[in-house]
Amino acid sequence: MKIFILDSNRKTLTNLKGFFAEKEEFEVVGTADNGLDGLNGIRELEPDIIVMDLILGGIDGFGVIGQLDTNKVKILVTTAMCSDEIVFRAFSMGVKYVMIKPYDPEILVRRISDIFAISENSGVGYAGVSNVSNDLIHVNTTDKKKYITNLLHDIGITPNLKGFRYLRSAVTMVMEDEAIIEAVTKVIYPEIAKEYKTTPVRAERAIRHAIETSWERDNGETITRVFNLSKSSKRPTNSEFIGLAAEYLKK
């Protein structure tokens, strides 16, 4: 698989090129630290996928994307500046996936594989959630949070939303003790409030807002697809969403 990496940080380019050099299935055919050189290199080298930041000199990331045929080349965006508007614009321009910086290169590899697997199997132009090991329930809390973070990102709940952290904690709690889902108000919200020095009411509202934001971004299509809900399903309540996420990750 031929990869072109476009990032204004030269250290990132060097590190990623070295990382992919150890992966037999990948070949970095080119790199660039500015938009103009990136466009020229992409047109000349015809990669299968572009891993690119949005903050670039000369021509920014969206300017580069706008001059590419996203039906011929797949694009994975990496950015530290994440908002609902940026994510929506990226997907509307044909980007397959948005990763939040900083990220684990191994997860980047998984997301690239997801993009191609889904494209081959269904033609869907959005990278869905990667498969999670059946042993997830046995891994430590830090690793669980990584999987939960990936799931929330995939659904469109990004770290700029206050409810992101609260949801991550709530799903972690339910994965460790299924019965706790029956005590969202009495246990989960108070525990989140204690952890983040807020109130249970604010925790509930922030979680609800995060779910609403994700649902309204694409009329619930992503949540419906990821959790295999019926197309007529209504937006999940807080407890329903937390339960669905925990159950999904434990499959």
Side-chain angles (χ1 to χ4, degrees):
M1 187 182 302
K2 298 188 296 182
I3 300 176
F4 192 98
I5 306 171
L6 187 52
D7 198 296
S8 59
N9 188 318
R10 294 185 179 181
K11 183 176 180 180
T12 297
L13 292 178
T14 300
N15 290 344
L16 284 179
K17 189 173 182 179
F19 172 78
F20 280 113
E22 299 178 358
K23 306 288 183 180
E24 293 184 1
E25 66 271 35
F26 298 104
E27 176 191 4
V28 175
V29 294
T31 65
D33 61 5
N34 67 82
L36 183 58
D37 288 345
L39 268 177
N40 291 335
I42 291 164
R43 288 167 175 162
E44 177 184 353
L45 299 168
E46 298 183 344
D48 300 308
I49 187 165
I50 303 164
V51 176
M52 62 176 291
D53 197 349
L54 293 176
I55 307 302
L56 300 168
I59 305 173
D60 69 8
F62 285 125
V64 171
I65 296 167
Q67 297 188 53
L68 297 174
D69 185 347
T70 54
N71 291 316
K72 293 182 178 180
V73 63
K74 295 174 175 58
I75 301 173
L76 185 153
V77 160
T78 65
T79 179
M81 298 178 58
C82 187
S83 68
D84 295 332
E85 292 76 14
I86 287 175
V87 172
F88 180 81
R89 183 179 179 188
F91 287 137
S92 69
M93 293 180 72
V95 169
K96 301 300 183 186
Y97 197 86
V98 177
M99 284 195 75
I100 313 300
K101 285 186 170 182
Y103 55 83
D104 183 337
E106 290 291 351
I107 294 177
L108 174 63
V109 167
R110 274 188 248 159
R111 295 300 177 255
I112 292 173
S113 298
D114 288 343
I115 289 171
F116 281 90
I118 289 178
S119 296
E120 291 173 3
N121 294 334
S122 64
V124 176
Y126 172 73
V129 183
S130 61
N131 291 328
V132 179
S133 168
N134 289 329
D135 293 329
L136 179 59
I137 192 63
H138 301 297
V139 301
N140 61 45
T141 299
T142 299
D143 288 337
K144 285 179 185 175
K145 285 188 175 182
K146 288 181 181 178
Y147 287 115
I148 297 167
T149 294
N150 293 337
L151 172 62
L152 295 179
H153 282 170
D154 289 338
I155 288 174
I157 297 177
T158 50
N160 61 300
L161 297 171
K162 187 176 293 185
F164 174 91
R165 293 181 300 160
Y166 300 167
L167 269 171
R168 186 171 58 185
S169 293
V171 175
T172 301
M173 283 188 266
V174 174
M175 290 182 68
E176 294 174 350
D177 181 2
E178 293 182 3
I180 209 173
I181 193 63
E182 303 295 333
V184 175
T185 302
K186 293 182 178 180
V187 178
I188 293 180
Y189 295 151
E191 285 294 322
I192 290 172
K194 181 179 178 181
E195 180 180 359
Y196 294 102
K197 295 180 174 58
T198 185
T199 67
V201 171
R202 287 177 179 171
E204 184 277 331
R205 288 176 179 171
I207 289 174
R208 175 157 41 90
H209 174 69
I211 296 169
E212 288 175 350
T213 299
S214 173
W215 186 270
E216 292 171 1
R217 181 173 59 84
D218 61 2
N219 294 318
E221 290 184 9
T222 300
I223 290 177
T224 298
R225 182 176 69 250
V226 170
F227 291 144
N228 196 29
L229 305 176
S230 67
K231 292 185 178 181
S232 60
S233 296
K234 296 181 180 179
R235 187 187 75 241
T237 64
N238 288 9
S239 59
E240 288 172 342
F241 183 95
I242 294 166
L244 286 167
E247 187 63 28
Y248 179 91
L249 289 168
K250 287 166 61 177
K251 289 180 180 179

